[in-house]
Amino acid sequence: MLILSIETSCDDTSIAILEARGKKRASFNILANIVSSQMEIHAPFGGIVPHLAARAHQRNLPYVLEKSLNEAKLKSKVDLIAVTVCPGLEPSLWAGIGFAKSLAFVSQIPIIGVNHIEGHILANFLNNKNIKFPALCLVVSGGHTQLILMKDFGKYELLGETRDDAAGEAFDKVAKLLGLGYPGGPVVAAEAAKFPIFNFQFSNKFKISPCGRCPEGTQNSKFKIILPRPMINTKDYDFSFSGLKTAVLYLVKDLGVKITKNLIPMICAEFQQAVIDVLIKKTLRAAKEYGVKNILCGGGVMANKELRAQLKTAIQDELPDVVLRIPPIELCTDNAVMTGIAGYYKFLRDGADKISEIKADGNLKL
């Protein structure tokens, strides 16, 4: 089956063309995967402006489609169009949906709506046929931070989610507070990489204390910054990163002019480590409680190399029988490949959707 998939849930315009073979444990061949970024449009605002994102999608979609078709060099007609319908920014979702419905109507090709979160999860099935259920899914992105129990394809149980800011959103806001630019994830990670990461003790509020592990002769040598790990010890699987962001805000206000180029890497390293500590501890506890054999990760924050490395090490140390699956970095951020994979499995379960029934829902859950 040839699948043309469209992803416009946020600020990246993506179209992919996949060849799918098999059923429950399908294999996929990526014929094209084109992503057009809107980073330059939203950078001046320090975040995504929904109506600007929607307009950019409308401009970009015809060109992205043309490029994907040229790259795929198709010799037969597409069998299915898959499009992201939820969750996400509704103006952006509608841009992709309108384009997909037009293609489906004119070309008389079946169409199917896809859940964005399911796409992030099923990106792990691109080259993996041996994933066993139940599996624990950790989805960490700009808009979502969730732990989900996957019992089978299409059967999910939400164990916990963020009560306020998602992890990726917190990265963006902290980057803005520190004047590092947008998007926040890559720039905060780059600054954090300049500072040697070590385990800070958990704390309920940030502290500034003498640091004996910082390079001598730098202003860093006078400080060790400790930020909170929100909800790390709660018995549920929910998350909260708004307070962590606020702790950075108060830290910036308290330090004032003392924040220098040498101190910013320390703040970024501690902030990043605080997020990682919470994600890893809750993920490990959920994996133990539900006795899973696989942990599947997805979402843009999973492109963070430190998170990937530390999660891998923690699972090897504490859960050696559990297999960790993380998609390649380019398939962690928003892309249409994951939309095509999710669309294929949904089509096998339920068949195609009626064009008239495909609608955007920015808040629909998995």
Side-chain angles (χ1 to χ4, degrees), residues 53-279:
R55 290 177 187 174
H57 286 310
Q58 291 170 341
R59 289 194 304 268
N60 293 338
L61 279 164
Y63 300 104
V64 175
L65 174 62
E66 182 181 12
K67 190 170 183 179
S68 64
L69 291 172
N70 289 337
E71 186 173 302
K73 298 178 181 178
L74 297 180
K75 296 181 180 180
S76 59
K77 185 179 178 181
V78 168
D79 299 301
L80 178 69
I81 294 174
V83 59
T84 304
V85 297
C86 63
L89 299 174
E90 287 204 5
S92 293
L93 290 168
W94 276 116
I97 290 170
F99 191 74
K101 290 170 77 169
S102 297
L103 288 177
F105 179 78
V106 171
S107 305
Q108 291 298 292
I109 298 173
I111 187 171
I112 195 161
V114 173
N115 185 293
H116 182 70
I117 301 300
E118 186 171 27
H120 276 308
I121 292 170
L122 295 193
N124 289 281
F125 287 82
L126 178 63
N127 294 312
N128 294 315
K129 296 185 179 183
N130 299 318
I131 297 174
K132 297 179 181 179
F133 300 124
L136 180 66
C137 308
L138 173 65
V139 179
V140 195
S141 66
H144 305 90
T145 304
Q146 298 179 331
L147 276 171
I148 299 164
L149 186 66
M150 182 179 184
K151 301 173 183 178
D152 202 340
F153 293 101
K155 297 180 180 179
Y156 305 96
E157 179 184 348
L158 180 64
L159 303 180
E161 62 184 340
T162 182
R163 296 184 180 180
D164 40 58
D165 290 355
E169 184 180 2
F171 269 95
D172 287 340
K173 290 179 177 178
V174 167
K176 189 172 183 179
L177 284 172
L178 298 177
L180 297 177
Y182 175 86
V187 293
V188 169
E191 287 296 321
K194 299 176 184 177
F195 188 82
I197 294 178
F198 51 89
N199 282 330
F200 295 115
Q201 294 179 350
F202 298 142
S203 172
N204 291 325
K205 60 181 180 179
F206 75 81
K207 297 178 181 179
I208 306 174
S209 59
C211 177
R213 303 187 63 171
C214 304
E216 291 296 329
T218 69
Q219 281 189 280
N220 293 29
S221 60
K222 298 179 181 178
F223 301 109
K224 178 171 77 174
I225 295 169
I226 301 175
L227 293 170
R229 271 68 173 161
M231 297 185 70
I232 193 168
N233 292 317
T234 58
K235 294 181 180 180
D236 54 44
Y237 294 114
D238 285 343
F239 301 92
S240 171
F241 295 105
S242 178
L244 177 59
K245 168 210 65 182
T246 303
V248 175
L249 171 64
Y250 287 135
L251 175 63
V252 170
K253 288 183 177 180
D254 286 355
L255 290 176
V257 295
K258 292 183 179 179
I259 293 185
T260 65
K261 290 183 178 179
N262 288 331
L263 197 54
I264 285 178
M266 182 193 291
I267 297 172
C268 289
E270 167 63 350
F271 167 78
Q272 177 178 264
Q273 191 61 43
V275 173
I276 290 173
D277 286 345
V278 175
L279 292 174

Side-chain angles (χ1 to χ4, degrees), residues 288-310:
K288 292 174 184 176
E289 179 176 341
Y290 289 92
V292 301
K293 293 298 182 182
N294 290 268
I295 295 176
L296 314 180
C297 299
V301 178
M302 288 308 309
N304 183 290
K305 294 180 180 179
E306 194 62 37
L307 172 58
R308 294 165 76 98
Q310 292 192 35

